[in-house]
Amino acid sequence: MFGLRAYVVTRVHGFERRLFSTNHSVGATRVAVVGGGAAGFYTAARVLAKTSNVGIDIFEQQIPPYGLVRYGVAPDHPEVKNCISKFASVAMDPRVRYFGNTRVGTQISVSDLRSVYDAVVLAYGASEDKRLGIGGEDGQNGRVGVVSARMFVAWYNGLPEAQDLHMDLTSHDTVVIVGHGNVALDCARILLAPLEHLARTDITNRALAVLAQSNIRRVEMVGRRGPLQVSFTTKELREMTKLDVDIICDRDLVERECSSPEGHAYLLHKRPLRRMMDVLLKHSVRPEDAQKEKQFHLRFLMSPSEVIYSGGQSVRFQTNVLEGLPESARAVSTSNYVDVPCAMALRSVGYASMALCGVPFDNVRRIVPNIAGRVVHNGDAVRGMYVAGWLKRGPVGVIATTMQDAYRTADALVMDLESGSIRNPLTSSTSSTSSIDTMLAQTRVAKTSVSYDDWLRIDAHEIAVGVAHKKPREKLTSVNEMLDVIGCSKDQ
């Protein structure tokens, strides 16, 4: 049984503040989760549900928890964030501690964690994005070139390190987005949505002020393959149809791909895709028929080849043809090119995970190699090391996909726990709790980290300010602002 949480308490700026709690009972299995996003919380939830004698510490580099649920989900998709209630119940479980503002890999190493925890779960996701690898991508002569869609999403969602993002929404009326996924559609919708629509969401006021000055009236969303190979969903496309914009596409191409013998056979087994093509044909117009002030142009069969800076900025695309069946069609380049003038371009061609020192990593697939969530090195399982989420399988799927994936990793961990195969003989003594807290003190995590109680103060502040602006919340967009709300200062 677990008793009440015991807290190390200090008085800061006139109120008591809990630095960290000693929540691990004697003999409990100690688990460190690296990453406080959906994968980390779902893994913790499953472990807590399947075993009682366990203590879990969650380490997250941001001050707020929840990862991309907070900083990646579009502000006009509040229903996707309903999972936060489950995550909150995990964080408030007496067997769990939350260490925000803690960078594993710099402040504390994986080796440090492995020295005092029985198991380490790597769930830190994908914090980088894939590049296009074309000339001019990084800008020239003051022009911004190609901006990361990942960072653009983080900017309007209030991620502190994204607030100084260099972008251009005024020098031209067009933004080009390279990629045909849901993130690309989110970016297009934010750029074209009326401000009164966004003002009711938790988008930051800072982002609203920038968007209010935007001259963007047209978004060109470009993919290298055809309509049957897009990665976005019907739900995202339907949301675009609700805006007062012309949706433009090559309707002849869509109809031809859908009605070909190969396309027809493919769609018989892909009913969601069939419905999406129906939605696209119902709500789209040909370029010559577009009349509305704002336009969303969905382009197919074009690959970016370079960014040109001559009298402004343009993205040069090489046109493609498809070879092969729809389910495995390859884009083959032609000798034709199309230039699309724009204020800037966004790349949205996939996220990428980063390696951590001391952790096996597949540099080609950009994942931690694993078998059913158990980390492997040279074909052998690494005792006590697990991986979940995008770091485990690659940056694909939605939150529900991550939940199922995390549950499978947690099940493997619990199975190993029950078999006795993960207990570390070097850390399985009655002094284990003090060993963990000594390590946290030595690495300064105990001094610089932010607890879940601290986060609840920030959460309450954001909601209160949001209510005053008739919004769900107003996110704090700097670390110092968050620390001011907590009432303390920390070494950065």
Side-chain angles (χ1 to χ4, degrees), residues 332-378:
V332 179
S333 60
T334 71
S335 58
N336 298 320
Y337 291 86
V338 175
D339 291 349
V340 182
C342 58
M344 71 173 186
L346 295 174
R347 61 172 178 266
S348 184
V349 292
Y351 287 38
S353 296
M354 302 299 291
L356 276 183
C357 182
V359 177
F361 194 75
D362 184 332
N363 286 300
V364 176
R365 299 177 62 196
R366 304 295 290 271
I367 64 170
V368 170
N370 68 94
I371 298 175
R374 297 177 178 91
V375 175
V376 298
H377 180 58
N378 293 331

Side-chain angles (χ1 to χ4, degrees), residues 242-260:
K242 297 175 183 177
L243 300 182
D244 186 23
V245 302
D246 274 324
I247 298 176
I248 304 168
C249 72
D250 185 341
R251 291 174 55 87
D252 293 337
L253 172 65
V254 176
E255 291 171 350
R256 188 166 62 249
E257 289 292 299
C258 291
S259 61
S260 70

Side-chain angles (χ1 to χ4, degrees), residues 199 262 290 371 440 448 474:
E262 297 82 5
I371 298 175
L440 295 178
T448 61
E474 180 56 39

Side-chain angles (χ1 to χ4, degrees), residues 74 77 79-80 179-186 189 221 227-242 247 270-280 283 296 298 300 348 396-401:
H77 286 174
E79 72 285 352
V80 179
H180 272 175
N182 280 341
V183 172
L185 260 180
D186 281 345
R189 191 175 65 256
M221 197 168 110
L228 300 187
Q229 290 79 40
V230 297
S231 299
F232 55 79
T233 61
T234 303
K235 177 180 180 296
E236 297 285 340
L237 181 60
R238 284 189 188 278
E239 291 191 359
M240 186 63 73
T241 69
K242 297 175 183 177
I247 298 176
K270 296 284 186 179
R271 294 181 63 185
L273 181 59
R274 171 75 261 181
R275 287 194 296 270
M276 185 162 63
M277 293 299 102
D278 289 341
V279 170
L280 181 58
H283 292 278
F296 171 65
L298 191 58
F300 305 106
S348 184
V396 294
V398 295
I399 290 177
T401 316

